Amino acid sequence: MSGSQIVAMGHYQPPKVLTNADIARLVDTNDEWIQSRVGIRTRHIAETETVDEMAAAAAEKALSASGHTAGEVDLVVVATCTAVDRSPSMAARVAARLGIAAPAAYDINTACSGFCYALATADHAIRAGAARTALVIGSEKLSEVTDWTDRSTCILVGDGAGAAVVTASTEPGIGPVVWGSAPELGDAVRIEGQPAVFSQEGVSVFRWATTKLAPIAREVCARAGVDPADLAAVVPHQANLRIIEPLVRQLGATNAILARDLVESGNTSAASVPLALSKLVERGEVPTGAPALLFGFGGGLAYAGQVVRCP
């Protein structure tokens, strides 16, 4: 076995939608101000749904699209930074909800880059022969750790989940991961305290993202042997249009569709990359087998990316 591939995607978002007008009733802001600074119009907010419930819903949709059954899954990985309980893991709870028997199950917390980290570890496990069929999920309930009186952060967040079914493949469909971090800036994005609250140093994060990430994204493409001009899609962490649009221009991905799911979903941290990719696939905007750059970055400050072949 020489690699792994994504065979299907799925996603879930809570039905409650919070508009910029709704946010303006909570803090001193307005739709024009929010859209001009981050590009977000709406976001989905979980009311009763938990992180593992949303993860399981997205995973169930991905499994259904894949043609595989829960009984074939031998690895479950959930990327999240908003799990309330320390144990059991969200992965274990997802496995129980879906009736998956005896899988390896663990969570990963690298915040916004979490899904790309999780996908890399699943790919590595399959390549090593430790697994054959994996569920890789990003799921977040950021609304639960948000200070809804802080206009610098409450305008950003949304809830939801995205999932991928990853299987062994004779032809590698997931390229080499490029991952790392800037620990000296690790405190620039925080979810800490009791109760936990999300906060960030927006200027520091923006400067780091707009000056350091494009060369890393180019390295991801180089490691995969793909010219950025040949990418069919770029699916970055859905942080801010003022970050991701310049990133694609600097990368030179002139023919790629740029995922802009944050416009309707907000920043969903580890869920943002799989959520956005799942929607592109569902709408048929990227052909099966076409190369797409997945690139997560944020809290930590950690980053990870790989080029995948679209399911």
Side-chain angles (χ1 to χ4, degrees):
M1 200 60 59
S2 58
S4 71
Q5 62 181 345
I6 299 174
V7 295
M9 300 293 303
H11 63 273
Y12 173 83
Q13 290 179 284
K16 180 180 178 180
V17 174
L18 202 65
T19 67
N20 289 344
D22 295 326
I23 297 284
R25 297 187 188 99
L26 303 175
V27 294
D28 181 18
T29 190
N30 58 64
D31 177 69
E32 182 182 3
W33 191 91
I34 296 171
Q35 287 202 53
S36 67
R37 281 158 179 78
V38 294
I40 298 170
R41 295 176 184 166
T42 61
R43 66 285 290 150
H44 291 251
I45 301 297
E47 296 183 287
T48 61
E49 300 94 335
T50 63
V51 169
D52 58 296
E53 286 173 336
M54 293 188 289
E60 191 169 34
K61 185 175 179 179
L63 272 175
S64 177
S66 74
H68 290 271
T69 66
E72 296 174 76
V73 175
D74 52 13
L75 173 61
V76 181
V77 190
V78 174
T80 185
C81 62
T82 53
V84 174
D85 301 321
R86 297 190 182 190
S87 183
S89 68
M90 296 298 97
R93 286 183 170 168
V94 168
R97 287 183 180 279
L98 298 182
I100 300 170
Y106 58 89
D107 293 353
I108 282 181
N109 178 4
T110 59
C112 307
S113 59
F115 178 80
C116 293
Y117 268 81
L119 184 63
T121 66
D123 173 54
H124 297 165
I126 291 172
R127 287 173 179 267
R132 286 192 60 85
T133 303
L135 275 173
V136 183
I137 309 161
S139 184
E140 301 284 18
K141 191 174 180 177
L142 283 168
S143 63
E144 200 163 58
V145 296
T146 295
D147 177 356
W148 291 98
T149 66
D150 177 9
R151 76 168 188 169
S152 68
T153 55
C154 75
I155 65 171
L156 301 173
V157 302
D159 302 331
V165 176
V166 180
T167 65
S169 172
T170 54
E171 294 294 329
I174 298 175
V177 67
V178 175
W179 51 11
S181 63
E184 70 280 6
L185 295 172
D187 286 342
V189 181
R190 301 178 298 279
I191 300 176
E192 59 186 12
Q194 294 293 336
V197 177
F198 162 54
S199 61
Q200 69 173 4
E201 297 168 11
V203 173
S204 297
V205 175
F206 185 83
R207 184 182 300 116
W208 174 75
T210 53
T211 61
K212 303 297 184 182
L213 294 181
I216 299 169
R218 283 194 289 271
E219 183 182 352
V220 175
C221 293
R223 290 284 303 278
V226 175
D227 188 312
D230 293 330
L231 290 168
V234 176
V235 188
H237 166 51
Q238 301 292 289
N240 185 329
L241 285 183
R242 293 169 63 201
I243 291 174
I244 66 175
E245 289 178 340
L247 173 64
V248 172
R249 288 195 296 270
Q250 293 172 48
L251 178 61
T254 52
N255 299 310
I257 294 171
L258 170 63
R260 294 181 173 87
D261 186 53
L262 84 160
V263 173
E264 63 179 46
S265 300
N267 180 335
T268 56
S269 192
S272 76
V273 168
L275 183 59
L277 178 61
S278 180
K279 289 183 180 181
L280 289 179
V281 171
E282 183 176 74
R283 293 193 296 257
E285 294 184 26
V286 286
T288 298
L293 169 65
L294 310 185
F295 192 44
F297 54 87
L301 292 174
Y303 57 84
Q306 56 269 97
V307 174
V308 305
R309 297 288 170 177
C310 290

